[in-house]
C-alpha cells in the first residue's frame, strides 16, 4: 500500500517544502550555543513552578487533571488580559483566546484565513517557523525587506500600489514582528507603525502581530500595533515562552470576536488544562514585573557583551544591527556563504543559525547569520565570538 496516495493535495504540496526544523544545526558536545533562541537553564523558574504545581494540586486535587480543567484556566485568561491592559491593549472576554504557544496561534490564524489562493505579505527576513506554517496553506507570498528600523513600510506601499495598478491580488494578511524582530532584533519605528496601519486600511488587509519579545526591552517599551489599532485589523499574538518557560506552551491571540470565534472553532478542546492552571498558580504568587525587570537586566548585559566582542574581534567585512531588546543580533558577512561557514564554526566549537533559513528565497540570506545571546553565559559569549571571528578571518 502507498500511504501517500491517501494524502490530500494540500498535504502533498506542503510536504514538498523543506522539513520543519531543518534549520537546527546538530551540535557537537561542549559547543557554545549562539544558535539557541530560548532561555538559559538557570533562567527557568523551576522552584517557583514546582511550588505552583504543589499549591494547585493541594487546592484543587484532581480538577486540573481532567479534560474540563480547573477554575485556574479562567484565572489565567484574566491575568493575560491584565498584562495586555498595562501595555495599552484593551480586550474583552470574547477577544482573547489562550493557545498552546504562539505557534499554535499562528497555525490557527493560517487555517482560518489562508488557502491555496491567498497572498500573504511577510517580512524579509522573518521567523522561520511562521514561514514553515504559512507554506502549509499557500504558495503565494509578497516579501517586504527589513532594515535597521524594521519593516520598510514605504516599500510595502510601493509594492501594494503597483499590484493594485496591475490588478494583481493583494495580500489578505501581513505577518510582522514589529518589536525586537526575529531574526534581526530590529524594532519598527512609531512612524512606520502608524504607516502600516494606514496601509492596512487603504488596501484592506489584516495584520498578524507577533509580539513574543515585546516585554524584553532594554531602554524603552514600544507600543504594540494592537494598542494603536482602531479598526480591529490587528491580530495580536503573545507568549510566555520567552519570559517564563517555553515548555509550558502558553500563548494567546487577541482579535475581533468574529475572528476569535472562528479560531476557537478549529482549536476545539485542544487545551492543556494542567499547564494553563499551573501557569495561573505561578502568576498568582510571583511578582511578574520584578521577573521581567530581572530578565531585561540579564539580557541587556549579555547583549552588551556580544556587541562589544563583535566590535573588538570582527573584521571590517562583518556588520550587524544593534539590538535594543529581545534575543538576537543579525550579522552580515560580505562575500561569505554562512551555511558553508557553519561546518567550520561547529568544528571550532560555536554555533549559529545561517541566514538563509529566514528568507523565502534562501539565496537572499546567504551572507547573513543570526546570533542569540539568550542561552549562553557571558563568558561563553566572549569565547564564542572569538571562535567565530577566527573562522571568518580564515575565509
Amino acid at each position: 500500500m502507498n500511504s501517500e496516495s491517501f494524502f490530500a493535495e494540500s498535504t502533498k504540496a506542503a510536504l514538498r517544502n523543506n522539513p520543519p526544523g531543518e534549520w537546527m544545526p546538530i551540535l557537537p558536545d561542549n559547543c557554545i550555543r549562539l544558535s539557541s533562541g530560548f532561555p538559559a537553564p538557570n533562567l527557568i523558574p523551576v522552584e517557583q513552578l514546582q511550588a505552583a504545581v504543589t499549591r494547585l494540586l493541594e487546592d484543587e486535587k484532581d480538577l486540573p487533571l481532567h479534560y474540563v480543567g480547573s477554575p485556574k484556566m479562567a484565572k489565567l485568561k484574566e491575568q493575560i488580559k491584565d498584562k495586555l491592559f498595562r501595555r495599552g491593549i484593551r480586550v474583552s472576554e470574547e477577544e482573547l483566546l489562550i493557545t498552546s504557544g504562539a505557534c499554535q496561534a499562528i497555525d490557527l490564524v493560517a487555517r482560518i484565513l489562508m488557502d491555496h489562493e491567498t497572498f500573504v505579505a511577510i517580512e524579509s527576513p522573518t521567523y522561520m517557523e511562521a514561514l514553515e506554517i504559512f507554506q502549509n496553506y499557500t504558495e503565494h507570498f509578497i516579501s517586504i525587506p527589513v532594515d535597521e528600523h524594521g519593516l520598510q513600510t514605504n516599500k510595502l506601499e510601493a509594492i501594494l500600489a503597483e499590484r493594485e495598478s496591475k490588478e494583481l491580488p493583494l495580500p489578505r494578511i501581513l505577518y510582522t514582528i514589529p518589536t525586537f524582530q526575529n531574526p534581526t532584533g530590529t524594532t519598527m519605528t512609531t512612524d512606520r507603525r502608524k504607516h502600516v496601519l494606514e496601509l492596512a486600511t487603504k488596501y484592506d488587509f489584516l495584520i498578524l502581530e507577533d509580539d513574543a519579545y515585546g516585554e524584553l526591552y532594554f531602554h524603552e517599551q514600544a507600543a504594540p500595533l494592537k494598542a494603536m489599532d482602531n479598526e480591529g485589523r490587528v491580530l495580536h499574538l503573545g507568549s510566555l515562552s520567552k519570559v517564563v518557560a517555553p515548555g509550558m506552551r502558553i500563548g494567546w491571540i487577541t482579535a475581533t470576536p468574529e475572528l476569535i470565534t472562528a479560531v476557537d472553532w478549529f482549536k476545539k478542546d485542544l487545551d492543556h488544562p494542567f499547564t494553563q492552571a499551573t501557569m495561573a498558580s505561578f502568576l498568582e504568587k510571583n511578582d511578574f514585573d520584578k521577573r521581567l525587570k530581572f530578565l531585561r537586566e540579564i539580557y541587556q548585559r549579555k547583549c552588551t557583551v556580544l556587541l562589544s566582542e563583535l566590535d573588538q574581534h570582527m573584521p571590517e567585512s562583518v556588520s550587524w544591527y544593534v539590538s535594543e531588546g529581545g534575543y538576537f543580533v543579525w550579522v552580515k558577512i560580505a562575500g561569505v556563504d554562512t551555511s558553508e561557514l557553519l561546518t567550520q564554526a561547529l568544528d571550532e566549537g560555536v554555533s549559529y543559525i545561517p541566514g538563509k533559513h529566514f528568507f523565502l528565497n534562501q539565496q537572499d540570506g546567504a551572507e547573513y547569520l543570526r546570533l542569540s545571546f539568550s542561552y549562553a553565559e557571558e563568558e561563553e559569549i566572549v569565547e564564542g565570538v572569538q571562535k567565530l571571528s577566527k573562522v571568518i578571518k580564515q575565509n
Side-chain angles (χ1 to χ4, degrees), residues 178-239:
T179 308
F180 316 130
Q181 199 239 18
N182 183 2
T184 65
T186 60
T187 296
M188 195 187 301
T189 63
T190 299
D191 286 345
R192 289 189 183 184
R193 290 172 192 248
K194 293 176 181 177
H195 190 201
V196 78
L197 289 167
E198 292 168 359
L199 293 175
T201 299
K202 181 176 180 179
Y203 292 98
D204 194 24
F205 58 84
L206 299 175
I207 299 172
L208 182 57
E209 177 186 24
D210 189 337
D211 195 36
Y213 305 94
E215 294 178 301
L216 294 176
Y217 56 90
F218 300 156
H219 304 292
E220 295 184 16
Q221 184 171 21
L225 286 172
K226 186 64 178 175
M228 305 166 67
D229 175 27
N230 297 318
E231 295 186 10
R233 290 188 177 272
V234 177
L235 297 81
H236 179 269
L237 305 182
S239 170

Side-chain angles (χ1 to χ4, degrees), residues 39 43-45 49 239-248 279 282-283 288 291 295 327:
L43 294 180
I44 304 297
L49 287 169
S239 170
L240 294 178
S241 293
K242 311 302 181 185
V243 293
V244 182
M248 296 290 288
M279 185 61 74
F282 169 83
L283 293 173
F288 197 66
R291 174 166 177 79
L295 291 175
Y327 274 15

